Amino acid sequence: MKAIRVHEFGAAEVMKLEEIPTPKPEAGQVLVRVRAAGVNPADTYMRSGNYALKPPLPYTPGVDAAGVIESVGAGVTRVKPGDRVYTSGSVSGTYAEFALALEAQVHPLPERVTFPQGAGIYIPYATAYRALRQIAHARGADTVLIHGASGGVGIAALQIARALGMTVLGTAGTEQGLALATKEGAHQVFDHRAPGYTDAILKATGGRGVDILLEMLANVNLGADLKLLAKFGRVVIIGSRGDVTITPRDLMAREASVHGVFLWNISPADSADAHAAIAAGLDNGSLRPVVGKELPLGEAVRAHKEVIESRAFGKIVLIP
Ligand code: NAP
């Protein structure tokens, strides 16, 4: 089978398209014929070698994928060959024609969700759900600011927040991203590159501030975020790429809090909670992953550069 392989950590160019043996599922494993693989920023951090998780070399990148069960190992009962599934991780990596996964790492993909959309489910939707529900304990009456609403996690958060009945504000850095955030559920949108946009956000809440703020780039925004919080407000840091200065008094006066999220920490019980909510949302159409770009598997290098360097517009997916 064709697969992207990484033999040394480094820049995007360390990824090579190679021919390797197709794996066979052992007991408790399944083989997925990958129809689309999702590209996440975390895939680039892992490939660089500067991330909390460092896979043993050589390896095939990729956590998210959607496809069809090709074969199953002994003892597998939840899925059978021919079933449409999305993955939440795998044993062998998803940037490939086939991916080996544990039975617990595959989840039903409803007919209404395309394979490219399915490749944009797990990391974005489970992270957004964990941040909103499991960490910030979001309630329908809350106002949330999704700071970075045009990318994979931001769009997932918009849709989940709307499904919960929340008042939803979102930011993006392009006209196209702002229009997408509006289409996917933001009641009001703000350009995070425009001077004074944080004043406009505060004004949109009548000066009260937001109850929850999901932050995609904390190293740039956290100091200002704390001034946008309502009393008892919660910031959940989803993304950060450096250091930042904050004014602790902004937290004290509000009895506000800052939390981090790291999807890899999710417990089996929290994972079951997230997958149940995602399944219901995919089924009833309230959760609809947005695919911004489909690239052939051989263009993984370009995909890794674009997911970090380009302005976001939904998900980038690789098609084997
Ligand atoms: P993505 O699809 O590339 O989207 C990035 C988002 O960040 C876009 O909405 C982008 O908006 C926005 N952004 C850019 N500059 C910004 C700024 N100055 N202020 C606020 N937002 C800004 O990436 P993603 O998959 O959604 O992931 C977002 C971040 O969360 C990444 O850093 C990723 O590594 C992290 N993440 C963390 C976890 C975890 O477990 N902690 C899980 C998943 C993702 P424009 O392009 O429109 O400007």
Side-chain angles (χ1 to χ4, degrees), residues 125-211:
Y125 282 85
T127 302
Y129 183 82
R130 182 163 180 76
L132 268 174
R133 292 285 293 150
Q134 296 175 346
I135 292 177
H137 304 293
R139 293 152 65 109
D142 287 340
T143 297
V144 60
L145 171 64
I146 299 165
H147 212 171
S150 49
V153 180
I155 289 168
L158 286 172
Q159 295 171 353
I160 294 169
R162 282 304 296 263
L164 290 171
M166 303 175 75
T167 300
V168 185
L169 313 181
T171 78
T174 61
E175 280 305 317
Q176 203 191 12
L178 291 164
L180 179 62
T182 303
K183 179 165 174 277
E184 296 305 329
H187 290 100
Q188 288 192 65
V189 290
F190 306 85
D191 181 348
H192 51 228
R193 302 215 281 187
Y197 79 96
T198 53
D199 296 338
I201 291 172
L202 205 50
K203 202 165 157 210
T205 67
R208 175 183 173 274
V210 299
D211 302 292

Side-chain angles (χ1 to χ4, degrees), residues 17-294:
L17 185 65
E18 294 179 6
E19 190 68 39
I20 61 169
T22 303
K24 287 197 173 54
E26 294 178 5
Q29 297 182 337
V30 304
L31 186 66
V32 180
R33 179 182 287 271
V34 176
R35 298 288 303 274
V39 175
N40 286 287
D43 302 342
T44 75
Y45 315 150
M46 276 186 224
R47 185 218 67 231
S48 75
N50 303 317
Y51 191 51
L53 304 179
K54 228 175 169 174
L57 294 168
Y59 78 100
T60 294
V63 172
D64 289 352
V68 176
I69 297 288
E70 179 78 6
S71 57
V72 302
V76 170
T77 55
R78 280 180 48 242
V79 289
K80 58 181 185 318
D83 285 358
R84 302 171 91 248
V85 293
Y86 74 89
T87 65
S88 58
S90 74
V91 174
S92 64
T94 60
Y95 291 12
E97 288 179 307
F98 293 93
L100 204 55
L102 304 176
E103 183 179 15
Q105 291 174 317
V106 294
H107 312 270
L109 185 71
E111 283 295 333
R112 71 189 300 162
V113 185
T114 66
F115 291 116
Q117 284 182 304
I121 295 175
Y122 177 60
I123 288 192
Y125 282 85
T127 302
Y129 183 82
R130 182 163 180 76
L132 268 174
R133 292 285 293 150
Q134 296 175 346
I135 292 177
H137 304 293
R139 293 152 65 109
D142 287 340
T143 297
V144 60
L145 171 64
I146 299 165
H147 212 171
S150 49
V153 180
I155 289 168
L158 286 172
Q159 295 171 353
I160 294 169
R162 282 304 296 263
L164 290 171
M166 303 175 75
T167 300
V168 185
L169 313 181
T171 78
T174 61
E175 280 305 317
Q176 203 191 12
L178 291 164
L180 179 62
T182 303
K183 179 165 174 277
E184 296 305 329
H187 290 100
Q188 288 192 65
V189 290
F190 306 85
D191 181 348
H192 51 228
R193 302 215 281 187
Y197 79 96
T198 53
D199 296 338
I201 291 172
L202 205 50
K203 202 165 157 210
T205 67
R208 175 183 173 274
V210 299
D211 302 292
I212 297 172
L213 195 158
L214 303 190
E215 182 52 73
M216 306 302 156
L217 202 57
N219 55 301
V220 173
N221 299 318
L222 189 61
D225 288 348
L226 304 187
K227 301 180 198 310
L228 293 177
L229 292 177
K231 262 196 177 174
F232 317 117
R234 289 86 78 199
V235 176
V236 184
I237 300 176
I238 297 174
S240 187
R241 295 180 182 162
D243 296 339
V244 64
T245 300
I246 65 162
T247 303
R249 278 196 172 166
D250 289 333
L251 290 167
M252 291 157 63
R254 296 172 172 82
E255 294 196 344
S257 51
V258 179
H259 306 253
V261 63
F262 194 54
L263 182 59
W264 317 103
N265 286 339
I266 199 165
S267 67
D270 282 353
S271 180
D273 172 41
H275 282 292
I278 291 168
L282 294 173
D283 218 37
N284 67 26
S286 58
L287 305 186
R288 306 162 306 275
V290 174
V291 177
K293 191 172 282 182
E294 296 182 24

